[in-house]
Amino acid sequence: MASDQITIRLPDGSTRDVATGTTAGDLAAEIGRNLRKAAVIADVNGVERDLVWPLEQGDEVAIITNRDDRGLYTIRHSTAHVLAQAVLDLYPGATFGIGPPIEDGFYYDFELPDGGHFHEDDLPRIEARMREIMGERQPFIRDELLADEARRVFKDHKYKLEIIDDASTDPMSATESGLVRTYENPPRFIDLCRGPHVEDTSTHLGHFKLMRVAGAYWRGDEKNPQLQRIYGTAWASKADLDAHLKRLEEAAKRDHRKLGVELDLFSFPDEIGSGLAVFHPKGGLVRMLMEDYSRQRHVAAGYDFVNSPHISKQELFETSGHLDWFADGMFPPMELDEGQRYYLKPMNCPFHILIYRSRLRSYRELPLRLFEFGSVYRYEKSGVIHGLTRVRGMTQDDAHIFCSKEQMGDELGSLLTFVLDLLRDYGLDDFYLELSTKPEGKAVGSDEEWDEATEALRAAAMTKDLELVMDPGGGAFYGPKISVQARDAIGRTWQMSTIQLDFQEPQRFDLSYIGADNERHRPIMIHRALFGSIERFFAVLVEHYAGAFPAWLAPVQARVLPISEGHEAYATRLADRLRAEGFRADLVEANEPLGGRIRKAKLEKLPYILVVGDDDVEHGTVGVNARGSERPERDVPVDDFVERLRADVAARV
RNA sequence: GCCCGGGUAGCUCAGACGGCAGAGCAGCUCACUCGUAAUGAGCAGGUCAGGAGUUCGAUUCUCCUCUCGGGCUCCA
């Protein structure tokens, strides 16, 4: 090795000798032209660096390209800087907060002079300015300043000054040397930033779109002033950007709120109140089918069915702790003549506990599993209500399992199996698990109890071959929880089932059972809901299936269309036969052209459209137009179709 | 709850310096009787979200309330 050379190591374990002073970008160029073109940043000894970073003897270097998530994040982050520059250009007196990359894009928070606001109409102008800045090919220049120098540079930007103050006192966010890092886009713009960034405002940027404006609290705290946030999406290529916009369109088409109207499933009449849904006949039928199957499975899994009222005296929720910890989420009380206060129930657990406590329990009864489709009411803040996924009145498929400490592990294991199995029957099969731990300051019980409960949940989760994600501080006030997250047909994740361990309420209600040793013992309580809420689960299914319910759930499974009046008698017999076989079939008479009737049935996303004409009357057959098929089938014997539909329903496809 | 933007027929949307409210689809009626995604004609459909104010006159301007959408915060 010549003295003016250094040796660096590549990710594949090989080494390479390069000239002293070689930068990460130079290295990429030496390896290949395409790599240089795709290179965004480099990973040098485990730290992300700009491509102009000079390499040193012995460095381990990986070039990160625009195909890598980290490269993409850098592109988004750099785009956010360009956004900030554009806004500061266009709005004299504006100041800025932070602007990180996020999933699919980026945002930047601003404060406009005199409490001004952005409007959606402003976005094209800002976007145009961003493209001008990109055209100027301004380099991203990294620098490190002493805190005092940085304070001078950002003297007009109070939020930046706050960040500098934090950085100079917080050892984690200061650089090793105690300096504050900045990135400059000369000649006009400089920002506090850890970096890294793309080389200049032209390279890799440009495949972006500003999406929306929003208010956002400074540092996410609702006590802080609200800043003006601009969201954008940014990608490595035009094709990726277009694909993303197309995905959004597809998601909008599946929106359960839109499909709920189009398919006549449910509505939210203003007269009832925000977040309170009514289910129409078709939605009600789907819901009934969902519930019926769930009931059937719960019977098979050894659950007992109970019922409880929607309201209760205050004392119950004092004992349970809800009024201490959950009062904000409850509707205000109803005052009765004699001064008695009643509350709408926000949860079912206290009621099930009273059923448990209605008499002395023996260890022979455990585990005791009490199930109810229980309607609960929660006072959600007006701004958070969203379709069926966030409502003020909902029905949970709720059960509380009372068991001994010894039974807890097995019970949690079989419960998780049950949950995943049932969700699969509803067509969801891509899951991960999330473990939510103690919410500090908002929890009852000792650390030891929480640790023990959390460990029990973790142990049960580990027996499943699924990814486990931690959610620190996300537990309920009475105990930790595991939630099952499901990915739908277009890859979005939804929180579905929750399983919560509770050592608290059994104590508060002084629950006990008589053990084999003839002593009193405290049972463990497991709260669990598989759908979460029926309303939310219904919404998820609507979106997952884009409204095209599988035959077992479809409100109408088959529609019979006679070609002309002469075929109506045969068509009626066919529809009657299907109904007699237990299917949901209807018939639309021939008073408009066949094409129009077919179109309507297609828009209703029915699994099967059955067309009958002369041939069918003569041969006892049916024309079958199956949803999603290329072309209709002719001359299908009615018995064959009946078997086919029966098989679809049985297979839940 | 907070910030921004909306609410006109069942749905999707147009409209007006403040002066009798418009279309397509859906609905109803009649005609057509048809082999796989829109048959034709006609009819009906509205306190322009609700309330107050300004005005000779308000769906239009102002304020309040309700409600929806996008975010923030929070969550099943």
Side-chain angles (χ1 to χ4, degrees):
Chain A
M1 184 180 84
S3 62
D4 57 351
Q5 294 222 307
I6 55 172
T7 304
I8 54 99
R9 281 188 292 157
L10 299 175
D12 61 6
S14 66
T15 61
R16 192 175 182 106
D17 293 341
V18 297
T20 305
T22 294
T23 65
D26 297 336
L27 173 68
E30 283 189 27
I31 295 172
R33 271 184 63 187
N34 288 340
L35 183 65
R36 181 64 185 81
K37 255 184 96 174
V40 180
I41 52 170
D43 180 321
V44 180
N45 304 325
V47 182
E48 292 176 5
R49 300 292 188 187
D50 302 321
L51 287 179
V52 295
W53 186 261
L55 301 178
E56 292 180 10
Q57 172 62 29
D59 279 349
E60 277 187 56
V61 185
I63 303 299
I64 297 173
T65 71
N66 58 3
R67 305 177 74 93
D68 184 295
D69 276 353
R70 290 192 286 171
L72 194 51
Y73 264 61
T74 302
I75 288 169
R76 289 170 181 161
H77 190 183
S78 299
T79 309
H81 278 234
V82 175
L83 168 61
Q85 180 178 163
V87 168
L88 264 43
D89 277 358
L90 292 171
Y91 298 83
T95 188
F96 53 157
I98 58 165
I102 53 175
E103 192 173 358
D104 300 336
F106 59 91
Y107 66 80
Y108 218 113
D109 288 343
F110 302 95
E111 188 173 78
L112 298 181
D114 307 319
H117 301 288
F118 293 117
H119 296 267
E120 299 268 332
D121 313 339
D122 298 332
L123 296 181
R125 194 163 71 103
I126 297 170
E127 205 172 296
R129 182 73 193 115
M130 288 174 70
R131 294 197 191 280
E132 283 171 24
I133 291 165
M134 289 176 178
E136 288 175 20
R137 193 179 271 267
Q138 303 169 3
F140 276 87
I141 300 171
R142 179 183 184 278
D143 198 2
E144 288 178 347
L145 303 179
L146 289 166
D148 281 340
E149 288 178 78
R151 283 190 190 97
R152 274 197 297 279
V153 172
F154 293 101
K155 64 180 171 14
D156 297 329
H157 298 290
K158 59 180 174 182
Y159 297 107
K160 296 296 178 188
L161 292 174
E162 248 189 69
I163 296 170
I164 294 167
D165 288 344
D166 280 7
S168 54
T169 53
D170 173 6
M172 294 306 289
S173 60
T175 57
E176 309 88 283
S177 46
L179 297 169
V180 178
R181 197 175 300 167
T182 60
Y183 272 81
E184 185 175 8
N185 293 123
R188 294 181 304 271
F189 182 72
I190 186 166
D191 197 357
L192 287 177
C193 187
R194 287 222 309 272
H197 280 284
V198 298
E199 293 157 88
D200 58 63
T201 57
S202 170
T203 307
H204 291 305
L205 306 187
H207 309 295
F208 76 99
K209 184 174 175 8
L210 298 184
M211 302 299 284
R212 60 179 64 95
V213 301
Y217 300 107
W218 169 238
R219 301 197 158 175
D221 186 333
E222 62 185 320
K223 289 189 227 33
N224 285 338
Q226 200 160 42
L227 304 182
Q228 296 287 303
R229 177 170 296 178
I230 294 179
Y231 281 95
T233 187
W235 299 85
S237 69
K238 173 108 177 18
D240 288 353
L241 172 63
D242 290 347
H244 174 67
L245 296 176
K246 198 157 169 126
R247 274 196 299 279
L248 292 182
E249 257 177 60
E250 176 57 23
K253 269 191 233 155
R254 295 170 171 259
D255 191 315
H256 74 277
R257 294 166 300 180
K258 180 176 148 75
L259 289 170
V261 175
E262 287 174 8
L263 301 177
D264 197 12
L265 300 172
F266 58 86
S267 62
F268 292 92
D270 286 354
E271 293 85 342
I272 299 177
S274 184
L276 298 167
V278 289
F279 280 71
H280 300 193
K282 283 180 183 153
L285 180 58
V286 173
R287 181 175 168 153
M288 181 191 79
L289 293 162
M290 289 166 56
E291 290 174 0
D292 283 353
Y293 182 63
S294 167
R295 282 200 183 88
Q296 194 184 315
R297 293 294 305 264
H298 278 86
V299 170
Y303 284 78
D304 293 317
F305 285 62
V306 299
N307 280 289
S308 59
H310 293 205
I311 64 173
S312 155
K313 289 192 289 194
Q314 172 169 327
E315 190 187 347
L316 180 65
F317 297 118
E318 278 170 355
T319 308
S320 69
H322 285 92
L323 281 172
D324 289 336
W325 301 96
F326 201 72
D328 285 351
M330 294 170 67
F331 275 87
M334 286 165 270
E335 199 87 44
L336 268 66
D337 294 342
E338 60 273 33
Q340 188 64 256
R341 291 176 141 199
Y342 280 78
Y343 281 90
L344 278 167
K345 66 173 168 180
M347 295 188 193
N348 300 301
C349 36
F351 299 81
H352 293 185
I353 288 170
L354 295 181
I355 294 168
Y356 177 94
R357 210 175 65 170
S358 63
R359 62 177 170 77
L360 197 58
R361 298 290 175 178
S362 152
Y363 74 96
R364 294 176 193 276
E365 293 180 78
L366 306 185
L368 183 67
R369 308 182 185 94
L370 303 182
F371 177 93
E372 173 179 12
F373 281 113
S375 296
V376 299
Y377 298 88
R378 298 185 185 175
Y379 180 72
E380 298 292 348
K381 290 192 281 184
S382 60
V384 307
I385 287 167
H386 181 94
L388 287 175
T389 61
R390 197 74 189 277
V391 294
R392 283 181 172 162
M394 60 178 154
T395 300
Q396 297 182 307
D397 61 329
D398 207 2
H400 296 91
I401 300 171
F402 301 88
C403 64
S404 67
K405 229 168 198 162
E406 296 71 44
Q407 291 169 327
M408 180 174 71
D410 282 353
E411 192 63 24
L412 286 173
S414 61
L415 180 51
L416 256 182
T417 305
F418 178 53
V419 170
L420 296 172
D421 197 42
L422 193 70
L423 290 178
R424 286 190 183 99
D425 276 343
Y426 288 92
L428 300 167
D429 52 15
D430 188 0
F431 308 111
Y432 69 94
L433 302 175
E434 194 170 272
L435 180 57
S436 303
T437 57
K438 184 174 183 179
E440 292 302 336
K442 285 194 290 183
V444 287
S446 69
D447 282 348
E448 291 71 39
E449 288 169 325
W450 275 83
D451 288 347
E452 191 178 347
T454 307
E455 266 322 300
L457 286 174
R458 186 199 307 277
M462 296 307 272
T463 65
K464 300 289 163 238
D465 193 19
L466 291 172
E467 189 190 346
L468 180 65
V469 176
M470 294 306 294
D471 171 29
F477 68 83
Y478 48 75
K481 72 177 177 190
I482 286 185
S483 53
V484 177
Q485 312 279 330
R487 291 186 187 87
D488 72 8
I490 57 171
R492 295 168 303 174
T493 63
W494 301 88
Q495 177 172 329
M496 308 268 57
S497 319
T498 61
I499 298 173
Q500 307 185 332
L501 259 184
D502 185 353
F503 294 169
Q504 307 307 326
E505 286 191 278
Q507 272 173 37
R508 299 180 73 109
F509 283 92
D510 193 24
L511 300 187
S512 64
Y513 65 90
I514 305 298
D517 56 4
N518 203 29
E519 298 289 324
R520 271 179 195 266
H521 299 272
R522 182 86 73 209
I524 304 292
M525 187 171 163
I526 302 169
H527 305 238
R528 42 109 289 171
L530 308 196
F531 293 158
S533 83
I534 299 176
E535 288 80 0
R536 171 179 288 181
F537 196 73
F538 183 95
V540 171
L541 289 187
V542 168
E543 302 209 2
H544 178 59
Y545 289 119
F549 290 109
W552 77 281
L553 285 172
V556 176
Q557 296 168 319
R559 171 162 299 159
V560 184
L561 302 178
I563 286 176
S564 70
E565 261 169 34
H567 311 117
E568 270 172 19
Y570 178 75
T572 303
R573 283 205 302 282
L574 174 58
D576 286 346
R577 158 91 192 270
L578 292 172
R579 285 193 283 261
E581 300 275 359
F583 299 121
R584 298 180 291 278
D586 65 8
L587 182 153
V588 174
E589 291 173 0
N591 47 18
E592 72 169 307
L594 183 63
R597 286 179 287 154
I598 297 219
R599 179 163 189 276
K600 275 174 199 151
K602 290 284 185 191
L603 290 174
E604 287 180 54
K605 304 180 189 246
L606 305 187
Y608 289 105
I609 301 165
L610 306 177
V611 174
V612 294
D614 289 338
D615 296 352
D616 303 297
V617 173
E618 195 175 329
H619 301 119
T621 57
V622 58
V624 177
N625 187 332
R627 184 176 61 205
S629 66
E630 287 289 315
R631 60 178 53 169
E633 302 154 53
R634 291 284 298 271
D635 308 318
V636 177
V638 169
D639 288 344
D640 289 4
F641 175 73
V642 166
E643 283 319 306
R644 178 167 165 189
L645 183 50
R646 199 189 305 287
D648 281 358
V649 169
R652 302 179 192 284
V653 292

